[in-house]
Amino acid sequence: MKVSDLVAKILSNHTNCIFGGQGGSVVHLVDSITKNKKLKFISGQNEQASSIAADSYFRTCGKLGVAIGTSGPGIINLLQGMACSYFDSVPSLYISGAPVTSQIRKNKNIRQIGFQEMEVVNLVKPITKYAVLIKNKYQIEYEFNKAIELAFTARMGPVLIDLPDDIQRQSIQKKKIFYKKKINNKPNVTNINLSKKISETIKLINKAKRPLILVGNGIKFSKSQILLKKFINKTNIPYACSWAMIDDFNCSDKMNAGTFGVAATRYGNFAVQNADLLICFGIRLSPQIVGAKKNAFAPNAKKILVEIDKYELVSHQLPKIDIKINHDVNIFLKKILIKMIYFNKVKYEKWIAKINFLKTKYPIVKTQHYLDRRYVNPYAFFNELSKYIKKDTILIPDASANLIWCMQAFKNTKNTKIFTALNHSPMGYSVPASVGAYFANKKKKIISIIGDGSMPMNIQELETIKNFNVNVIIFIVNNSGYGLIKQTQETWLKSNFSGVDKQSGLSLPNNIKIGNAYGIKTVFLKNNQSMIRNLNKILKLKGPVIVDININPKTRVSPKIDSGQPLHEMSPKINKKELDKIMKN
């Protein structure tokens, strides 16, 4: 068979869709993919969007995301989605076409020999788990299987194979395709006495009066949601979710303390700062979660961290951790639940009551958000979206202010799947991500939330969406510029705005005219009244649909941590006596 046919056959064992763009060095590979009855090639307008679609594909259905780009410009475009996958631990495979092997440099001092030749492997090393240039057709099966296994091995992430054009079109004998070499795909963990660590954890739980579980993405990717819920039920310990996990838990649950971090909920931050024990499962304690002053993060709490990546446990930004457990959180939960068979459930009614009092006392969405008659208030919008969204919908927010408003105000009570690229967080993610989500599960309605500043980043994918009739409603949160950057310039630069709106040099297109030009249905929501009146009708429409939401350019993220402040001192500030009372245990 032809080598490119072999590659397509290998890919068909792991996925149903391949995203990418055409190019001179991938024509044979794309041809073989289109001829394989188990695969569908989804051609995007730009490889950047294809790479994001591949990332979104795994997040939606759990199958390997695959993206293809030709040498040079193609691979450069793929980097965006690759970075999203790397920093959020998403398994994905990138295949870059390379010039024919005779035109690949041997002397690295020569800049380029083959047309569009590029040093791909070294280029992508910082954002991949594994990258290799194929030099022999008999490496194919070994290298593809190795790369895919590594992508799914904890800590998961993207891998890349650089495949020369001439090797793709060569013939290969079936009996010789096996390249025998052992694949080492063991998780990168240290040897620890897990039983001892579990005993130490149980001792701290027994001593605690205000324990809190912090739930991170490791729970989702290790498929430990059921185990965690058993642990919560067994211990009666409340929990707080990172943004990556809010879709796995009902916000109305009395045990749910809310989200926490620099731009989250005030009540969630109060819960973290009041705790005397934090049990952190599969969560990266980044500055966005901990705040700028790591020593001010839950200052009176003992801290336990279960983390698969040993390097996260030695980060210089990490606050003091009393028990570090470098292990698979799934295995840890199974073993601690066995050891806790005779554990007496502790009554934390007073602690749980305080958490729920704080949730009632400091809501994100308030009556004042509905009073504006000229604009749509984003907090009111996301609150209403929570009410009318249909069950089993996929919700993909983008980046910047619209992401924060969504994560703060959207109330997940209807099994809504919510995801975005949280750590790399590129503007323009949600529109191409809707393409990946659609091909991962065509039965679900997709809602893409994006700012008017982010929309131009991948606006060309409206053609892809129209071409495949993607069932997506794209809500454009239009605040006439970069609202969150304005907020930063107000804080640091005395409101000296530059490059953030029309007056300061940034010009953005008319979204209704753009939608009409692409032949996509459009709706304009002028103010709160029109939003409330029409939102339920809009959600019943079959996509694609573009909805332009008229937001006051002066609307800001609130509450939010000012730089250098601890989590419990969010702005706008509350009365000092009131704050002291809350923080007094």
Side-chain angles (χ1 to χ4, degrees), residues 450-463:
I450 190 166
D452 60 314
S454 294
M455 189 65 199
M457 299 290 179
N458 276 305
I459 201 165
Q460 75 286 338
E461 295 311 309
L462 290 177
E463 182 62 29

Side-chain angles (χ1 to χ4, degrees), residues 50-335:
S50 296
S51 68
I52 289 172
D55 172 88
S56 168
Y57 183 81
F58 169 81
R59 295 180 197 249
T60 303
C61 69
K63 290 184 179 181
L64 181 71
V66 182
I68 293 174
T70 194
S71 58
I75 182 61
I76 287 291
N77 289 337
L78 288 175
L79 295 183
Q80 190 75 281
M82 194 182 300
C84 292
S85 295
Y86 184 74
F87 294 114
D88 281 359
S89 305
V90 171
S92 50
L93 171 64
Y94 292 87
I95 306 172
S96 56
V100 296
T101 51
S102 63
Q103 295 178 15
I104 293 175
R105 296 170 306 152
K106 295 179 181 178
N107 183 343
K108 300 302 180 182
N109 292 317
I110 299 173
R111 291 196 180 186
Q112 189 183 62
I113 294 177
F115 177 63
Q116 296 182 327
E117 183 190 9
M118 182 171 284
E119 189 68 25
V120 172
V121 171
N122 286 329
L123 179 73
V124 304
K125 273 184 179 179
I127 53 172
T128 55
K129 288 188 66 180
Y130 181 71
V132 65
L133 168 65
I134 299 291
K135 297 179 179 179
N136 185 315
K137 62 184 178 182
Y138 296 112
Q139 291 178 273
I140 290 291
E141 187 159 64
Y142 166 74
E143 288 293 358
F144 270 87
N145 287 331
K146 176 181 179 179
I148 292 168
E149 285 194 39
L150 287 173
F152 280 96
T153 302
R155 183 179 179 179
M156 300 189 296
V159 293
L160 176 137
I161 293 178
D162 199 21
L163 188 56
D165 173 54
D166 57 328
I167 291 181
Q168 292 178 42
R169 60 179 184 258
Q170 289 176 10
S171 296
I172 188 168
Q173 297 178 29
K174 289 184 179 181
K175 65 181 180 181
K176 289 186 177 181
I177 63 176
F178 296 101
Y179 186 81
K180 296 182 180 179
K181 191 174 180 181
K182 187 177 180 182
I183 298 173
N184 180 18
N185 62 350
K186 293 182 179 179
N188 190 20
V189 297
T190 52
N191 292 320
I192 61 170
N193 187 335
L194 187 57
S195 181
K196 181 182 176 182
K197 296 281 187 180
I198 288 173
S199 296
E200 291 172 352
T201 298
I202 293 173
K203 285 181 182 179
L204 286 184
I205 291 173
N206 286 328
K207 291 179 181 179
K209 294 181 180 180
R210 299 179 307 280
L212 186 68
I213 297 166
L214 300 189
V215 187
N217 209 20
I219 289 292
K220 180 173 291 182
F221 282 173
S222 64
K223 299 179 180 178
S224 303
Q225 294 95 324
I226 293 174
L227 288 171
L228 176 62
K229 288 173 183 177
K230 286 181 180 178
F231 180 80
I232 292 168
N233 183 59
K234 184 73 178 176
T235 59
N236 199 37
I237 297 176
Y239 60 90
C241 294
S242 69
W243 284 358
M245 291 302 298
I246 64 169
D247 59 339
D248 276 287
F249 296 87
N250 194 313
C251 67
S252 63
D253 181 6
K254 71 173 185 176
M255 302 293 281
N256 190 339
T259 60
F260 56 97
V262 170
T265 61
R266 196 186 294 272
Y267 52 84
N269 282 354
F270 279 149
V272 170
Q273 296 297 83
N274 272 266
D276 64 358
L277 174 65
L278 293 183
I279 308 170
C280 310
F281 287 129
I283 186 168
R284 191 172 68 87
L285 297 178
S286 70
Q288 288 297 107
I289 285 176
V290 171
K293 295 181 179 179
K294 62 182 181 181
N295 294 331
F297 176 70
N300 301 314
K302 296 285 186 181
K303 301 176 185 70
I304 301 165
L305 177 58
V306 184
E307 169 60 52
I308 191 70
D309 187 344
K310 67 181 181 181
Y311 297 111
E312 291 290 346
L313 296 172
V314 295
S315 167
H316 70 278
Q317 180 61 29
L318 201 65
K320 182 180 181 295
I321 305 296
D322 298 276
I323 302 178
K324 295 180 179 181
I325 304 172
N326 180 213
H327 218 285
D328 187 328
V329 68
N330 187 280
I331 296 172
F332 176 86
L333 283 168
K334 285 178 180 176
K335 291 187 178 293

Side-chain angles (χ1 to χ4, degrees), residues 546-581:
I546 290 174
V547 183
D548 196 44
I549 310 175
N550 185 34
I551 305 290
N552 188 337
K554 294 182 180 180
T555 303
R556 299 292 180 257
V557 170
S558 177
K560 184 178 181 293
I561 301 293
D562 292 333
S563 181
Q565 297 298 313
L567 294 190
H568 57 277
E569 294 194 19
M570 301 187 85
S571 291
K573 306 289 186 183
I574 63 172
N575 181 278
K576 189 176 185 304
K577 287 185 178 180
E578 188 178 340
L579 179 62
D580 291 342
K581 185 178 180 181

Side-chain angles (χ1 to χ4, degrees), residues 421-574:
L422 289 167
N423 290 302
H424 186 51
S425 198
M427 295 170 66
Y429 176 88
S430 69
V431 168
S434 69
V435 176
Y438 172 74
F439 283 102
N441 192 333
K442 291 185 179 181
K443 294 181 179 180
K444 292 195 175 186
K445 177 64 130 322
I446 302 160
I447 293 177
S448 165
I449 310 288
I450 190 166
D452 60 314
S454 294
M455 189 65 199
M457 299 290 179
N458 276 305
I459 201 165
Q460 75 286 338
E461 295 311 309
L462 290 177
E463 182 62 29
T464 306
I465 287 169
K466 185 193 72 172
N467 181 43
F468 291 108
N469 200 30
V470 174
N471 188 16
V472 60
I473 299 177
I474 302 170
F475 287 99
I476 302 175
V477 181
N478 191 339
N479 57 357
S480 302
Y482 297 164
L484 194 61
I485 301 299
K486 281 186 178 181
Q487 192 166 349
T488 304
Q489 290 172 338
E490 288 166 350
T491 303
W492 290 97
L493 302 173
K494 299 180 180 180
S495 299
N496 182 28
F497 298 145
S498 57
V500 290
D501 55 20
K502 184 71 172 177
Q503 291 71 32
S504 63
L506 174 70
S507 181
L508 296 171
N510 183 307
N511 295 305
I512 298 296
K513 289 183 178 179
I514 291 290
N516 292 336
Y518 277 101
I520 294 175
K521 294 190 291 286
T522 59
V523 180
F524 177 65
L525 292 180
K526 182 179 180 180
N527 52 33
N528 278 331
Q529 289 70 33
S530 67
M531 180 269 292
I532 294 169
R533 188 168 57 249
N534 294 299
L535 185 57
N536 193 29
K537 297 176 186 176
I538 291 169
L539 293 174
K540 291 178 180 178
L541 295 174
K542 183 174 175 58
V545 179
I546 290 174
V547 183
D548 196 44
I549 310 175
N550 185 34
I551 305 290
N552 188 337
K554 294 182 180 180
T555 303
R556 299 292 180 257
V557 170
S558 177
K560 184 178 181 293
I561 301 293
D562 292 333
S563 181
Q565 297 298 313
L567 294 190
H568 57 277
E569 294 194 19
M570 301 187 85
S571 291
K573 306 289 186 183
I574 63 172

